[in-house]
């Protein structure tokens, strides 16, 4: 193929995937602390394997969130996902908590004091991205992959579809012509299922979800739709494969269509710029595209631990923009304070809003009245248009 025509693939994983179980548990603990104290500090990692969960990390917050509370949060997360199988059950799983107090050395660098503003919780680079391939201004392959699994999970929870287990993966390959997606060339879905179902039964259950996720006329050839290609997937979740927090960062973001800074999101309170600045970068990039200033936009921000101001802001509209990128970067910094405190206040991040982010992507979601997915708002559009006379 020429450079004007190519294939691009992204994958998603369900809430019952072993790594996503861990993300859900870690974010459940973040929410527990933030519900008790909006200024709590949390960095919690989770390991899950056959009927065992291990919690570790550092926190600073109210004494009411005890180790027993964290263990109970973990157990509830497993129950809500739907694990009641012999090798991984919310009632019988052994859950250990090794979470301890945050290092005083880190705290003094991050906390505000005197004339010093709240600093970044770590050094690092964070990226945000938006494009006009979907209504959500997300890359189409990852968005369609998420849609398949979210709808399967919704119907599993409601009881509309019987036979699905919690663990599943999807993968969508799209053909691009002149930079725009025009159809799917292959789709892969592997889902945990009841032991009495054969591969043909699972295929019949899954096909409608693929059809509903893709635009009309985009379905690939029948022999390019791979559903449970190994033939059987009964043992799943942490019983089939160990899971860890933060091991699905490309699934969490843009499916590989844009850079990732390297830091995971789940298990971290919003003073950690790995999380909050990535949300801010997405927010700014999405508003740029929503304002019609570009059809694609990548934004990078960089921080040093303990320093409040960002070290750099980079804007790239990939030759799709109709405004000067240097001016755009200046305007964006005027519209939003990109210090850790500024981000948290602008997006109202110090709330218990993070459990829903732990599966099906942190981006391309609908902003909710309770503050969930506030970074998906497009409330800077009018200001951006005005700044450029649009």
């Amino acid at each position: 193929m020429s450079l004007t025509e190519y294939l691009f693939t992204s994958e998603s994983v369900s809430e019952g995937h072993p790594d996503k179980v861990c993300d859900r548990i870690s974010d459940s603990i973040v929410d527990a602390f933030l519900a008790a104290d909006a200024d709590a500090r949390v960095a919690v990692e989770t390991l899950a394997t056959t009927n065992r969960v291990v919690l570790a990390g550092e926190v600073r917050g109210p004494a009411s969130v005890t180790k027993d509370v964290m263990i109970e949060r973990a157990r509830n997360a497993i129950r809500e996902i739907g694990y009641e199988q012999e090798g991984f059950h919310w009632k019988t799983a052994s859950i250990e908590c090794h979470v301890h107090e945050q290092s005083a050395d880190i705290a003094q660098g991050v906390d505000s004091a005197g004339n010093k503003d709240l600093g970044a919780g770590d050094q690092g680079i964070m990226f945000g991205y938006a494009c006009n391939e979907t209504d959500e201004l997300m890359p189409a392959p990852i968005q369609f992959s998420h849609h398949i699994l979210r709808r399967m999970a919704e119907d599993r929870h409601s009881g509309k579809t019987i036979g699905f287990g919690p663990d599943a993966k999807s993968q969508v390959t799209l053909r691009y012509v002149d930079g725009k997606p025009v159809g799917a060339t292959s789709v892969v879905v592997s889902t945990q299922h009841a032991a009495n179902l054969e591969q043909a039964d699972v295929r019949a259950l899954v096909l409608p979800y693929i059809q509903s996720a893709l635009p009309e006329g985009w379905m690939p050839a029948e022999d390019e739709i791979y559903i449970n290609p190994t033939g059987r997937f009964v043992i799943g979740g942490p019983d089939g494969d160990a899971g860890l927090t933060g091991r699905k960062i490309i699934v969490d973001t843009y499916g590989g269509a844009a850079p990732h800074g390297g830091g995971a999101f789940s298990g971290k309170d919003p003073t950690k710029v790995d999380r909050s600045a990535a949300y801010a970068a997405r927010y700014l990039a999405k508003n740029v595209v929503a304002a019609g200033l570009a059809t694609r936009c990548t934004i990078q921000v960089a921080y040093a631990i303990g320093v409040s101001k960002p070290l750099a802001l980079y804007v790239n509209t990939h030759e799709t923009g109709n405004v000067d990128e240097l001016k755009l970067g200046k305007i964006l910094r005027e519209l939003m304070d990109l210090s850790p405190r500024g981000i948290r206040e602008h997006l109202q991040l110090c709330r218990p809003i993070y459990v829903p982010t732990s599966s099906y992507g942190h981006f391309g979601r609908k902003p909710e009245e309770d503050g969930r997915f506030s970074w998906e708002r497009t409330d800077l559009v009018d200001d951006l248009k005005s700044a450029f006379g649009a």
Side-chain angles (χ1 to χ4, degrees):
M1 294 185 187
S2 69
L3 292 178
T4 60
E5 185 173 341
Y6 58 89
L7 304 181
F8 193 83
T9 306
S10 295
E11 72 160 347
S12 179
V13 298
S14 73
E15 66 200 56
H17 183 280
D19 297 326
K20 281 292 152 198
V21 171
C22 295
D23 285 346
R24 172 72 163 265
I25 291 171
S26 293
D27 276 336
S28 295
I29 294 170
V30 170
D31 280 356
F33 274 95
L34 292 178
D37 181 358
D39 293 321
R41 303 286 188 267
V42 188
V44 171
E45 311 292 342
T46 304
L47 162 70
T49 185
T50 301
N51 231 25
R52 182 177 295 273
V53 172
V54 180
L55 309 176
E58 305 80 43
V59 297
R60 189 182 70 193
S64 60
V65 186
T66 63
K67 289 189 175 183
D68 286 342
V69 168
M70 287 185 263
I71 289 171
E72 188 63 20
R73 283 281 179 147
R75 205 173 294 283
N76 286 340
I78 298 168
R79 178 181 56 81
E80 289 166 0
I81 291 169
Y83 274 113
E84 296 185 344
Q85 59 192 44
E86 184 178 352
F88 197 69
H89 198 296
W90 65 272
K91 278 186 179 179
T92 60
S94 169
I95 303 179
E96 303 171 25
C97 184
H98 302 283
V99 175
H100 58 80
E101 287 291 313
Q102 182 189 55
S103 161
D105 291 346
I106 292 176
Q108 72 176 358
V110 175
D111 291 346
S112 57
N115 294 325
K116 176 183 175 295
D117 195 9
L118 179 76
D122 201 354
Q123 71 174 49
I125 55 174
M126 297 83 208
F127 287 92
Y129 181 73
C131 62
N132 66 352
E133 293 179 14
T134 63
D135 291 342
E136 299 88 353
L137 303 185
M138 285 285 288
I142 186 67
Q143 201 68 358
F144 296 154
S145 295
H146 286 324
H147 283 175
I148 293 168
L149 296 186
R150 283 193 72 186
R151 289 166 182 169
M152 288 172 60
E154 288 167 0
D155 287 352
R156 173 176 63 85
H157 284 298
S158 71
K160 180 179 178 180
T161 301
I162 306 300
F164 289 149
D167 194 357
K169 300 179 76 172
S170 64
Q171 183 173 286
V172 174
T173 300
L174 298 184
R175 183 167 67 94
Y176 283 71
V177 176
D178 295 328
K180 297 181 179 180
V182 298
T185 61
S186 68
V187 176
V188 183
V189 177
S190 294
T191 181
Q192 188 182 11
H193 59 86
N196 65 324
L197 295 181
E198 301 295 332
Q199 186 179 26
D201 301 322
V202 177
R203 184 179 182 88
L205 288 174
V206 171
L207 269 175
Y209 296 96
I210 299 173
Q211 292 166 339
S212 67
L214 296 177
E216 186 176 355
W218 280 38
M219 283 288 285
E222 187 172 343
D223 62 355
E224 291 294 340
I225 300 174
Y226 304 91
I227 297 175
N228 281 22
T230 63
R232 184 173 173 83
F233 186 3
V234 174
I235 299 173
D239 188 28
D241 189 12
L244 293 169
T245 301
R247 204 159 57 173
K248 284 290 177 285
I249 58 177
I250 300 304
V251 170
D252 287 341
T253 54
Y254 308 102
H260 191 290
F265 303 156
S266 290
K268 299 175 182 178
D269 74 78
T271 66
K272 279 70 170 177
V273 283
D274 277 343
R275 181 167 220 158
S276 57
Y279 291 170
R282 160 65 179 175
Y283 171 67
L284 295 178
K286 183 176 183 180
N287 275 270
V288 167
V289 175
L293 304 184
T295 59
R296 291 175 61 204
C297 182
T298 298
I299 289 178
Q300 182 204 63
V301 285
Y303 293 86
I305 188 169
V307 179
S308 62
K309 68 175 183 178
L311 306 184
L313 173 69
Y314 163 79
V315 180
N316 185 355
T317 56
H318 306 277
E319 300 182 350
T320 71
N322 50 38
V323 297
D324 177 76
E325 289 175 348
L326 290 177
K327 181 180 178 181
L328 178 57
K330 181 176 180 293
I331 295 297
L332 291 175
R333 294 188 77 153
E334 292 173 355
L335 292 177
M336 185 177 188
D337 176 2
L338 289 171
S339 69
R341 184 190 299 277
I343 292 171
R344 292 197 308 167
E345 292 178 352
H346 190 109
L347 298 178
Q348 297 179 291
L349 298 179
C350 296
R351 293 184 281 183
I353 56 174
Y354 296 106
V355 164
T357 70
S358 63
S359 54
Y360 314 116
H362 292 243
F363 309 125
R365 309 287 290 272
K366 181 180 178 181
E368 303 287 350
E369 290 185 3
D370 65 359
R372 288 178 290 176
F373 305 103
S374 60
W375 49 93
E376 292 296 309
R377 301 190 313 242
T378 53
D379 51 355
L380 297 183
V381 165
D382 289 343
D383 289 333
L384 283 168
K385 287 181 176 181
S386 176
F388 290 95

